[in-house]
Amino acid sequence: MDTSIEFNIYGDASLLKEAQNVLTDLESEVSVTDPDSEIYKINQDGTGTLTGNAGDLMQEALEMCRRTDGALDISVYPIVRAWGFTTEEYQVPEETEIESLLPLVDYTKIQYDTATGTVSIPKGMTIDLGSIAKGCGGQLAAQLLREKGVTSALLNLGGNVQAIGSKPDGSPWQVGIQDPTGDTPMMVLSVSDQAVITSGGYERYFEQDGKTYWHIMDPSTGHPADSGLCSVTVVGKDGGICDALSTSLFVMGLEKAAALWQQSNDFEAVFVTDSHEVYITEGLKDCFALTEDHADTNVKVLEK
Ligand code: ADP
Ligand code: MG
């Protein structure tokens, strides 16, 4: 999944391997670049079948595209590629190129038959489940570990954290959230049995002519999201939902993201704005703390 992975599991050591296999199996089904993956074949042929966890991932991804009104769009890949994020040969594309690619970005044209797992897409479209795969993978690994009786574990997939139970001593896990403009943790969330998933502009970006361009795209403009946020952390029971939301709330910006939170009951969130203000939703009030270095940060609580 193109990321560093760290698992701390309190239990039988063989479980590490099993949990890792869940991730590699999912990756081999949904990778955009592996010619043997089911998604790769669908992207090549315009049609194909998803099996097992990949099918569930697709269904969840499409649901989240609809729920976020297209702020999440799993067909945004041609845009991501045009900006060079797929090869790290970064560039600012010509506006005409972006305009020619935007018609290919429209998740509503993806046909997915949940009964058979068959997917059909229009010519030229590319499906990329990267914005949600790590969260779903973490969720599946956590599920497996819980079924095997694990009551204490912390899975970290490149900043996508999945907490199982609490620490072995019964106290909550402490998950640091990075300062989007620095290298140190800015705040700490105390959580048990929750996913904590962050999307930040600082994770992958390039600079050109004094401007920063990052890897989270606004599917409506074909440009990197420019919503006034520089990081979004989503906390909830379902890692897949949290991952999808972290990307899409980043695209939406604070106002729309807060409105979506107000209508929902399956997540809480932390927003850091470009001007370094922090907003937390009220459900996190009692498990949130700034680190010492950032103690003077202004934190506002969003209420329902
Ligand atoms: P990361 O995977 O780096 O933790 P995200 O979960 O936020 O970060 O996913 C970002 C990845 O998803 C990008 O690298 C890109 O491939 C893809 N992507 C970017 N913008 C969108 C979007 N609006 N909707 C769906 N996928 C996106
Ligand atoms: Mg995400």
Side-chain angles (χ1 to χ4, degrees):
M1 293 188 178
D2 191 23
T3 195
S4 67
I5 293 178
E6 187 182 334
F7 286 0
N8 289 288
I9 301 170
Y10 294 84
D12 188 338
S14 68
L15 293 172
L16 262 178
K17 188 78 206 143
E18 282 189 58
Q20 200 188 337
N21 287 344
V22 171
L23 293 181
T24 39
D25 288 352
L26 188 65
E27 165 78 6
S28 68
E29 285 165 11
V30 304
S31 164
V32 196
T33 49
D34 175 357
D36 292 327
S37 89
E38 294 176 354
I39 285 287
Y40 186 93
K41 287 178 191 143
I42 291 164
N43 287 338
Q44 286 291 306
D45 304 342
T47 183
T49 305
L50 292 173
T51 58
N53 290 332
D56 296 341
L57 177 54
M58 181 66 160
Q59 191 174 352
E60 184 160 5
L62 284 172
E63 264 168 39
M64 294 309 292
C65 292
R66 289 189 282 268
R67 182 173 166 190
T68 62
D69 199 17
L72 187 81
D73 193 319
I74 55 172
S75 63
V76 80
Y77 193 78
I79 297 288
V80 177
R81 182 166 48 204
W83 288 83
F85 285 103
T86 55
T87 54
E88 294 183 15
E89 286 165 29
Y90 302 124
Q91 56 174 344
V92 177
E94 295 289 339
E95 208 51 42
T96 50
E97 185 187 355
I98 292 174
E99 267 154 36
S100 72
L101 294 174
L102 277 177
L104 301 172
V105 180
D106 183 356
Y107 73 91
T108 64
K109 297 207 179 106
I110 299 171
Q111 290 179 327
Y112 176 55
D113 182 340
T114 48
T116 60
T118 309
V119 182
S120 303
I121 53 174
K123 203 172 157 40
M125 186 177 270
T126 307
I127 297 175
D128 167 24
L129 298 171
S131 60
I132 170 169
K134 268 188 275 174
C136 275
Q139 183 71 25
L140 289 169
Q143 209 170 307
L144 170 108
L145 294 171
R146 287 193 179 102
E147 279 162 16
K148 301 266 174 173
V150 172
T151 55
S152 178
L154 196 72
L155 315 182
N156 186 346
L157 291 85
N160 290 17
V161 175
Q162 186 89 40
I164 298 174
S166 307
K167 283 198 227 169
D169 69 4
S171 65
W173 292 104
Q174 309 281 311
V175 181
I177 298 174
Q178 202 180 319
D179 170 8
T181 55
D183 290 330
T184 52
M186 181 176 197
M187 44 204 153
V188 176
L189 293 174
S190 305
V191 296
S192 302
D193 269 320
Q194 303 258 36
V196 180
I197 298 194
T198 301
S199 283
Y202 58 88
E203 288 171 330
R204 241 180 308 151
Y205 65 92
F206 67 98
E207 286 165 333
Q208 194 172 306
D209 301 328
K211 268 205 80 166
T212 304
Y213 301 97
W214 47 54
H215 67 130
I216 300 174
M217 297 290 152
D218 184 338
S220 68
T221 65
H223 287 250
D226 186 12
S227 69
L229 294 175
C230 59
S231 105
V232 177
T233 299
V234 178
V235 182
K237 288 281 173 214
D238 186 300
I241 290 176
C242 291
D243 196 5
L245 284 171
S246 70
T247 308
S248 48
L249 301 185
F250 189 102
V251 173
M252 286 179 187
L254 184 61
E255 213 170 301
K256 282 192 189 155
L260 182 62
W261 168 73
Q262 260 153 354
Q263 302 160 10
S264 308
N265 54 19
D266 54 353
F267 74 95
E268 302 292 334
V270 179
F271 304 97
V272 183
T273 69
D274 288 343
S275 51
H276 236 70
E277 288 173 313
V278 176
Y279 291 80
I280 62 170
T281 58
E282 62 184 345
L284 295 178
K285 251 188 336 203
D286 299 329
C287 57
F288 168 93
L290 291 167
T291 56
E292 229 170 90
D293 292 352
H294 295 85
D296 55 353
T297 305
N298 184 7
V299 181
K300 297 194 182 80
V301 178
L302 298 170
E303 282 163 10
K304 270 209 171 128

